Amino acid sequence: MPSIHPSPYEQLARKEYSRYNHYFKFRQFISHMSFGPPDECWLWEGCTNSKKNKHDYGLFIWKVKKIKFAHVAAYEFFKGSRNELKVCHTCDTPSC
């Protein structure tokens, strides 16, 4: 009778694919950043949503994690999972 559970090789392949996919997204993300000192804003230089509501929030689509804003993706990359928390700016700079 065939097993319903994936083999260890399949599990490893899925894990490696997930790790590669995360690394690729991170590289894509940082290519749109302007980094400064740790205590200053790091500005988003990619596309923004300025046509929609004139706030200039950075856009970064990450469908797997259901993320569409750059500041939310930054939190996921640098702090970890947000567990459905809302991510807000403390500096009131939308492109930060």
Side-chain angles (χ1 to χ4, degrees):
M1 184 170 214
S3 175
I4 298 172
H5 303 289
S7 74
Y9 298 111
E10 289 175 296
Q11 291 175 346
L12 181 62
R14 287 181 186 162
K15 186 177 179 182
E16 288 302 314
Y17 176 77
S18 176
R19 186 179 299 150
Y20 170 78
N21 217 9
H22 191 269
Y23 173 75
F24 175 75
K25 275 295 186 187
F26 180 72
R27 294 289 305 232
Q28 184 183 19
F29 179 80
I30 64 172
S31 73
H32 298 291
M33 294 292 302
S34 172
F35 293 97
D39 59 337
E40 290 183 12
C41 292
W42 295 357
L43 300 179
W44 179 254
E45 295 180 338
C47 61
T48 63
N49 69 340
S50 61
K51 290 183 181 176
K52 248 185 179 180
N53 59 15
K54 298 181 180 149
H55 288 299
D56 288 330
Y57 284 103
L59 296 177
F60 184 77
I61 307 301
W62 193 357
K63 290 182 182 180
V64 173
K65 296 216 177 236
K66 298 178 180 161
I67 293 174
K68 63 180 179 177
F69 291 111
H71 64 284
V72 178
Y75 188 92
E76 290 270 339
F77 283 128
F78 295 104
K79 294 286 192 180
S81 179
R82 61 193 154 96
N83 298 322
E84 301 304 317
L85 294 173
K86 301 234 183 241
V87 178
C88 301
H89 297 264
T90 57
C91 62
D92 291 331
T93 304
S95 64
C96 175

